[in-house]
Structure formats: structure tokens, C-alpha cells
Amino acid sequence: MTRSASTCAIVLAGGRSTRFGSDKSLALLRGEPLLAHVLRACAAQFPEVLLVAKEPARYGSFCGDARLVRDRARVSTPLAGIEAGLAATAAEVAFCCGGDMPFAVDAALLDALFAALEGHDAAVPVSGGHLQPLCALYRREICLAAATSALAEGPVGPRRLLDAVRTAQLPWPDERPFVDADTREDLARIASISFPVS
């Protein structure tokens, strides 16, 4: 599958940030909120960007042209955010990433994921033996139905969705796209990594 198909990016923000100690999406990285870096990278690659959060309005001042989508699920799990984003778009394929992952939008990785998606419902990178469901592609129609069904069982994560659909697993040697800011130490590590020149 090529990127010429109907696509969008779904960025998940506003999780509990328990280990970070405050809303990590609002933490400053090089003078602006971490989430702003992710949204800008997505806007450069996708015609539509959706920002999904329990309280999306809190990010409105720097979300650019991203469409704000409220995650209304009672459970707090990334899968609920993915479901909300898939329900809010008409795009055939969605790239989902976390709002604390400033390197997730990697052109080479995206090209490889779109190629891997051919004949599958989802394409997910594998790094260090671990699936990376918050840096993955999902076909809207089948994955929305599977996410809704999985969430009916309770607060399950995105891996439950990946188990329920035809998922292509793509080994990826570069860990940089999957670096996220779970802690303040992680944010300091992110700040020390060179950003790609745009």
C-alpha cells in the first residue's frame, strides 16, 4: 500500500502521566510543548491530523490545524484513544502515535509500515522484541470494530486490538522513533537527541 491512499495521523495525549508527575504533553522541549513537536511532524506527512485526549481543549493553543477529538471512554487506556480517533476520521488508514514521541514520524519507518500493511489490517514495528502499537498503522473500518469489541471487555490495551486483526509485524533496528517521555529523565534524553532537519 502506498501513502497516496486516504490517510491521517492520530496523536494521543493527556494520559495520566503518573511517572512523569505532570502532563508530559505540556512539558517544554526546546522552548515549546513536547506535543507541539509531534503535531508539527504529523502535519508534514499527513493531510489530516487528529489530537485525541480526554480534555483536548487544554491543548488548543498550540495544536495548529489538528482536529481536536474528545476520548469519551470511561476507561483510561491508549486503545480508547485509538478507537476515538478511528471513529472521528473518514480516512482509510491511520497512523497512531503518542503525544510524547517526537521522533515517531520517521519517513523511512512510515514507508516500511505502509509497504507492510499490504494484505493486513494493521502494521506495527517491533523494536528490541517489543511491539510498538503507539507508532503503528491501522485500517479504520476493521480496526475500529475490533477496538470497540476489545474495549467492551474492559480496560485493555492496543495489543488486544493487534491480536484481533491481521497484523504485520515489522522488525525495526532504530529505536529512536519509539523514544517517549515517560519520565523527566526520558525528556532529558530526548532533548539530547538531534532532531531531523526539516
Side-chain angles (χ1 to χ4, degrees), residues 49 83 124 133:
V49 179
E83 180 197 36
V124 61

Side-chain angles (χ1 to χ4, degrees), residues 13-15 23 26 35 51-60 68-72:
D23 187 344
L26 298 175
L35 178 59
L51 172 59
V52 179
K54 295 286 187 194
E55 298 176 43
R58 71 186 305 178
Y59 309 111
L68 302 179
V69 176
R70 185 166 177 212
D71 170 5
R72 298 180 184 277

